[in-house]
Amino acid sequence: MGEAAQIKSASAGAGIYQFAYTRNADQDAPEPVSHPIVIVGAGPVGLSLAIDLAQRGRKVVLLDDADRIGEGSRAICFSKRSLEVWDRLGVGDRMLERGVEWKVGKVFLGDGLVYGFDLLPEDGHKRPAFINLQQYYAEKYLVERVAQLPAIDLRWRNKVTGLERSNDAVTITIETPDGPYRLAASYLVACDGARSNLRAMVGADFVGETFEDQFLIADVKMRAAFPTERWFWFDPPFHSGQSALLHRQPDDVWRIDLQLGPDADPKEETRPERVRPRIERMLGHGDFTFEWISLYRFQCRRMKRFLHGRVIFAGDSAHQVSPFGARGANSGLEDGENLAWKLDLILSGEAGTALLESYDLERTQAADDNIGHSTRSTDFIAPHSPFERQLRNATLRLAGKAEFAKRMVNAGRLSTPTAYASPLSTPDAEAWTGRAKPGTALIDAPLRDAQGRAHFLTDIFHDLGCRFTLVTYEQPDGAALAANLAHIAIGRGGFSDASGAFADRWGAEPGAAFLLRPDGYVAARMKAPTAERIDAARRRACAQTA
């Protein structure tokens, strides 16, 4: 992709990186040049999807209407699952090196601690429960990874202004500083955000709920001795009757969210001279500077369908949730990992378009899951009536004494991968224990090779190319069962499960086998595997059988 990805200017303190517009050969063609995949939107979702497809051997054109990244921190909280995705895309280490690891959260009522929680209490995972990292850093690392992949043509200041659809292609009109041109694509993926132009072009809209309460975001730079934890207050003394959130980011930047209520004036409330006294009351001092100030309302909405012929929607263009729970960006990245392998198999002729329908089915399930959690969080954080507020506060007071009440407190359930109820999954034929059910994401575990060297299951899967993979446990005929599949043998001369974590987490018994999809989700598990059963499960996971 060459010069188009190079940083033209940067202001690292503010996190703003600007890129050069470059004219491309398609602009001089007399007719629209055809490409297999065009992605619109170079945010975390579009960039990650493009890298995933390129690593699977697919050429991608990636368009963005801007020439910069980094207008504020925006998303900051990235999950263990997102880090595992970024690991296989070649940027996981960079994200972790810059990011702030955390797993402990605390909930307060007034100035008293109600309870704390640990999001990853067990050892033996490569990646932490979460990191906090400004979105502009995440995008910068992804853009630099894109620059290493010749299969991706990233074009800045290329704005899609028109769309024509047919049965076998999509044709778009693109506006640039040099004037308009047209492209054709076998598949067009819209990752162009909550204000998606493409969503309007296909005549679709969001369905769901917009909440009245407004929240102020202030990213402030200061030196502070607060621990690296998520702190959430209900009715704190510094912000009476409302809620507040504090999170640490890299570079001594802290994310502060303050509930303002439905009647707040956005222009007035985002003026620094208006925000400063609020933050001073919270911190007890004024020794800070502002990095970013914004105001938002909760949105819990999605498109009815994410597929519109050959136009596919992912990330915020397809769904919106409130920020409490870190479900927006993380869910968008999971959209991308679900879609990439399916497009790859369809374009190679190994699967039909029925596989693409499973993207809509699985990711709308995930959107509903996230919207449900997000709506319940919002209802708890911002009750609709005085009675609901009284009930909420009684629950909070009881939570400090009773375990059952803690489970009722909802300050934002943190993002976890959705377990799919999917026709791609083969139902269990035997009774199982363990958490690795068909339709669930790969659960990491520590393993050792024959030389005693330490590995993680996620890395082994990535090193095999993230394709259909058979994991066998104490299975002497595992290699024969895995014909035409990647194979991870655990026990019987393969990797050693010395800690027992794999057997415990996966419910593995000697002789068991697990079929993984290319996105790492469990397609099937079998206590008495045969080559025929495994092949049938693989074909089912490609939507080739009912």
Side-chain angles (χ1 to χ4, degrees), residues 22-85:
T22 302
R23 186 177 179 86
N24 65 81
D26 291 348
Q27 291 171 263
D28 299 317
E31 297 294 333
V33 177
S34 183
H35 296 271
I37 303 171
V38 174
I39 300 172
V40 181
V45 177
L47 289 162
S48 297
L49 174 59
I51 295 167
D52 198 339
L53 287 163
Q55 290 187 170
R56 296 182 186 278
R58 297 293 158 197
K59 291 186 176 181
V60 179
V61 174
L62 177 56
L63 309 174
D64 197 273
D65 61 2
D67 64 353
R68 67 188 63 203
I69 56 178
E71 305 293 342
S73 300
R74 294 176 291 165
I76 65 165
C77 192
F78 297 102
S79 69
K80 177 177 178 289
R81 181 64 184 173
S82 292
L83 290 171
E84 290 169 352
V85 171

Side-chain angles (χ1 to χ4, degrees), residues 333-486:
L333 291 170
E334 291 165 14
D335 290 345
E337 71 157 356
N338 186 288
L339 179 60
W341 70 274
K342 295 175 180 178
L343 281 177
D344 176 46
L345 291 187
I346 291 168
L347 288 168
S348 70
E350 296 177 58
T353 55
L355 184 59
L356 198 54
E357 283 292 332
S358 74
Y359 167 77
D360 182 79
L361 184 148
E362 292 179 345
R363 294 314 298 167
T364 55
Q365 281 183 31
D368 288 341
D369 185 28
N370 286 314
I371 287 170
H373 283 292
S374 188
T375 300
R376 288 188 288 274
S377 297
T378 303
D379 288 341
F380 196 86
I381 292 167
H384 295 282
S385 68
F387 173 75
E388 289 181 2
R389 183 174 294 273
Q390 289 176 1
L391 182 62
R392 190 274 308 273
N393 291 345
T395 301
L396 286 164
R397 287 190 291 270
L398 188 58
K401 306 171 186 176
E403 191 66 32
F404 80 89
K406 291 180 183 178
R407 294 192 292 271
M408 298 170 64
V409 174
N410 195 336
R413 301 276 193 261
L414 274 299
S415 176
T416 55
T418 296
Y420 302 136
S422 173
L424 303 189
S425 300
T426 298
D428 287 333
E430 304 99 351
W432 283 84
T433 60
R435 310 197 302 266
K437 302 174 183 177
T440 60
L442 185 154
I443 304 168
D444 207 2
L447 301 169
R448 291 192 175 274
D449 63 22
Q451 289 72 44
R453 293 172 298 202
H455 299 264
F456 284 98
L457 181 57
T458 49
D459 279 342
I460 299 167
F461 176 68
H462 297 163
D463 290 345
L464 289 172
C466 296
R467 51 200 179 99
F468 277 105
T469 300
L470 191 70
V471 180
T472 58
Y473 181 71
E474 298 289 353
Q475 168 60 263
D477 299 321
L481 294 173
N484 302 318
L485 298 171

Side-chain angles (χ1 to χ4, degrees), residues 345 349-352 354-355 423-424 535-536 538-546:
L345 291 187
E350 296 177 58
L355 184 59
L424 303 189
D535 184 62
R538 185 197 59 77
R539 286 186 287 107
R540 181 177 184 130
C542 292
Q544 292 171 346
T545 61

